[in-house]
């Protein structure tokens, strides 16, 4: 007597389950974070306190489509890609800058 061969659906079911888990635990949250980051960069304006991806706390001094001019210290300004702005500076990091 021969054992029954699994159907195509039964063979691919573990892969489908793993993909579903990966989607809900990794892919979907990353998409949400990217939407929030894009919205933050779109609403960025002069005077906002920001933190760059390299860890620099700065104030937005000017904006273009691709670049942002940041004032790191009084009279010290740098121009960097807008995408390098990680997010707003939180209240805790603002206290460190003042101190």
């Amino acid at each position: 007597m021969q054992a029954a061969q699994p159907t195509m659906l039964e063979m691919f079911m573990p892969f489908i389950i793993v993909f579903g888990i990966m989607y809900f635990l990794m892919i979907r949250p990353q998409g949400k974070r990217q939407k929030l980051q894009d919205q933050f960069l779109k609403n960025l304006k002069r005077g906002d306190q920001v933190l760059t991806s390299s860890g620099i706390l700065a104030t937005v001094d000017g904006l273009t489509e691709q670049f942002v001019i940041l004032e790191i210290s009084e009279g010290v300004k740098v121009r960097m890609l807008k995408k390098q702005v990680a997010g707003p500076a939180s209240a805790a990091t603002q206290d460190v800058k003042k101190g």
Side-chain angles (χ1 to χ4, degrees), residues 4-44:
Q5 295 291 323
T7 64
M8 288 294 260
L9 181 63
E10 290 172 341
M11 287 187 343
F12 287 110
M13 188 58 71
F15 296 108
I16 294 169
I17 291 171
V18 168
F19 179 76
I21 291 170
M22 281 182 50
Y23 175 77
F24 283 106
L25 293 179
M26 295 173 66
I27 298 169
R28 191 167 175 234
Q30 179 62 31
K32 285 183 177 183
R33 278 192 296 268
Q34 187 62 43
K35 277 185 180 180
L36 287 173
Q37 178 69 9
D38 291 343
Q39 184 178 5
F40 169 74
L41 292 176
K42 183 180 174 186
N43 295 330
L44 200 59

